[in-house]
Amino acid sequence: MSSIDYAEKIPNNVNIGGERTLQRALEHWQPHFLQWWHEMGPSDFESADVYLRTAISVDAQGWAHYGAVHMPDYRWGIFLADPVADRKIGFGDRMGEPAWQQVPGEYRSTLRRLIVTQGDTEPASVEQQRLLGHSCPSLYDLRNLFQINVEEGRHLWAMVYLLHAYFGRDGREEAEELLARHSGDRDKPRILTTFNEPISDWLSLYCFTYFTDRDGKYQLKSFAESAFDPLSRTCRFMLTEEAHHMFVGETGIGRVVKRTLEVMKELGTDDPARIRAHGAVDLPTLQRYLNFWCSSSLDLFGSEISSNSAANFASGLKGRPDEAQYEDHVLREKTMKLLMPEGEQDVPMLNALNEVMRESYLKDCEIGLKRWNRQIERAGFDLRLTLPSSRFRRSIGAWVGLPVDPQGKLVSKELFAKSLGSWIPSEADRAFVHSLMKRVAEPGKMAAWIAPPERGINNLPVEYEYVKLH
Ligand code: BYC
């Protein structure tokens, strides 16, 4: 068995070197992780020098350490945010009791399941994005893709650390399974639906990082409230990295919109066919991509009425994002009005928490929409991008399989079947978008369908050679 100098190889602030059992478990898992990275991570870029950010500590200087790295040599570290002295449980039936430093027996399997579900999404996203490097629109974007990939790898390490350190043999088995399931695999798929969708073009990547990583932000924020203190501290630190992933999504879509508007102005038209002929993404196609990824990501919050969400909140396992913003942290007396297919229903608030979170998430999603629409308005065009209703195209919850249009109205099955191809990307849309995906790998150059970013990484110019390909 290989012996690892943890301070050197795996930067950490959890004293791995001082705990023999944990060290052995991680030593056993690490080569399996590297093998998985080799087989399922970014294909063909193992010898490239990539300008990456690495966390080497949790303080302001250490969490963003930049330098050129071969990805397989990336130092996937394990970091927990600094402890809060005498931290108390901030919600649920055990509010005010001391936070847990160990897993209470009665919550062991539920907590393990939540950590495994969170952990499963991290390698899944790397697998989904495996081939994108071949069609990057610029070296700047290629570097951002790889930054996201290595950080998702680090987030997997974060969950595996919790499984190894707190869940004994079951945890070690789950850690192996996290490398055995694969995105889109027929026999062993990833746990959550969105993480089995292919991401084979960069427009999908930007939508995924805008919508799906934002689900990550909300889920991590709700775990940051958890009574299980190691989970809370782990997620607090993960959130610092998550911001960049959503930035890539928001600015990526913004740059697509900017380029399309330039073409629309140049040609004096909003005719999709002419815009496409000019090599840009017409806005109706972008709208269909937004509809697809937003609706898929809305499923990630679970059912509108959920006994799991009630139990997880009451027991202190999972709070609401930014729990402190609310007045009532127990929620035994409150109800919430939910629009169900049968009409409006009063639901105990504890059971409606997935919906509470979904609503906050949608509000957060609106921010980018406003920015992109301002760009369109300033360019003098009438079209506006919108978010689909949370009832549209749902695969989880009360609206599963119902014929609902993107505005949230129930329509006939016939109309739904006839219109779906104009609400989400059709085969022809995908083929067109794929036709644009040609690799641009000269420093500073951009593909014709996307505008350059406003600035480079870490104060470097956009023209910097962010990935040195060999
Ligand atoms: N697909 O009561 P229900 C991220 C299952 S993203 C498939 O409706 P609940 C990232 C559910 O598991 C954040 N299955 O919902 C982003 C349950 O099954 P079991 C990921 C689904 O339990 C980009 C059953 O349906 N983190 O970090 O209240 C790149 C009934 O569940 C789905 C988490 O998700 C679905 N969409 O809430 C990289 C946090 N939805 O357990 C990373 C951990 C529900 O009865 N997970 N089901 O067999 C959770 O907190 C909860 O499991 C959920 C669902 C929020 C997902």
Side-chain angles (χ1 to χ4, degrees), residues 113-126 128-129 148 152 155 190-196 208-209 211-220 222-223 238 242 245 296-310 312 318 354 357 395-397:
R113 177 80 184 152
L114 288 170
I115 292 170
V116 164
T117 306
Q118 176 64 48
D120 192 69
T121 63
E122 317 289 1
S125 69
V126 176
Q128 285 172 292
Q129 297 160 18
I148 291 172
E152 301 302 7
H155 292 181
R190 291 297 177 181
I191 297 171
L192 300 173
T193 39
T194 313
F195 294 90
N196 289 303
F208 179 88
T209 45
F211 290 110
T212 313
D213 277 277
R214 196 172 306 276
D215 169 55
K217 167 181 163 184
Y218 276 76
Q219 300 296 341
L220 292 176
S222 67
F223 285 144
M238 288 163 76
E242 203 64 42
H245 308 185
S296 178
S297 303
L298 284 165
D299 274 336
L300 295 172
F301 291 89
S303 306
E304 287 75 3
I305 303 178
S306 164
S307 53
N308 290 348
S309 85
N312 292 343
K318 191 177 171 190
N354 289 345
M357 204 139 111
S395 306
I396 298 283

Side-chain angles (χ1 to χ4, degrees), residues 316-353:
L317 300 184
K318 191 177 171 190
R320 290 166 292 184
D322 304 308
E323 185 61 44
Q325 69 177 306
Y326 299 96
E327 269 174 27
D328 180 349
H329 300 289
V330 180
L331 299 178
R332 286 278 172 202
E333 312 295 327
K334 281 228 163 56
T335 59
M336 180 172 171
K337 274 200 191 338
L338 290 187
L339 183 59
M340 304 302 271
E342 323 58 65
E344 215 166 50
Q345 253 183 54
D346 259 328
V347 177
M349 182 63 97
L350 278 176
N351 295 73
L353 289 177

Side-chain angles (χ1 to χ4, degrees), residues 214-392:
R214 196 172 306 276
D215 169 55
K217 167 181 163 184
Y218 276 76
Q219 300 296 341
L220 292 176
K221 268 174 167 282
S222 67
F223 285 144
E225 305 290 337
S226 180
F228 179 44
D229 203 42
L231 175 63
S232 160
R233 291 173 56 202
T234 298
C235 292
R236 274 195 280 139
F237 185 63
M238 288 163 76
L239 279 162
T240 43
E241 291 162 328
E242 203 64 42
H244 174 257
H245 308 185
M246 286 176 292
F247 164 87
V248 169
E250 182 178 336
T251 54
I253 296 173
R255 288 163 57 209
V256 172
V257 171
K258 185 171 177 205
R259 179 63 195 135
T260 301
L261 291 170
E262 286 168 3
V263 170
M264 286 165 76
K265 273 185 153 172
E266 203 178 305
L267 301 178
T269 183
D270 60 4
D271 176 9
R274 292 194 55 207
I275 295 161
R276 284 183 174 203
H278 216 77
V281 179
D282 55 290
L283 296 180
T285 297
L286 172 59
Q287 178 66 65
R288 290 191 282 278
Y289 271 73
L290 298 179
N291 288 347
F292 179 89
W293 285 104
C294 183
S295 54
S296 178
S297 303
L298 284 165
D299 274 336
L300 295 172
F301 291 89
S303 306
E304 287 75 3
I305 303 178
S306 164
S307 53
N308 290 348
S309 85
N312 292 343
F313 186 89
S315 54
L317 300 184
K318 191 177 171 190
R320 290 166 292 184
D322 304 308
E323 185 61 44
Q325 69 177 306
Y326 299 96
E327 269 174 27
D328 180 349
H329 300 289
V330 180
L331 299 178
R332 286 278 172 202
E333 312 295 327
K334 281 228 163 56
T335 59
M336 180 172 171
K337 274 200 191 338
L338 290 187
L339 183 59
M340 304 302 271
E342 323 58 65
E344 215 166 50
Q345 253 183 54
D346 259 328
V347 177
M349 182 63 97
L350 278 176
N351 295 73
L353 289 177
N354 289 345
E355 198 56 21
V356 170
M357 204 139 111
R358 190 163 19 237
E359 283 181 4
S360 318
Y361 165 83
L362 273 173
K363 273 200 199 125
D364 204 36
C365 289
E366 286 287 354
I367 295 171
L369 267 283
K370 279 205 187 106
R371 288 211 183 112
W372 306 326
N373 281 333
R374 228 178 289 133
Q375 285 176 252
I376 301 172
E377 193 182 346
R378 275 204 222 110
F381 292 97
D382 286 339
L383 195 145
R384 294 292 175 265
L385 297 168
T386 54
L387 292 177
S389 157
S390 59
R391 301 188 284 281
F392 173 64

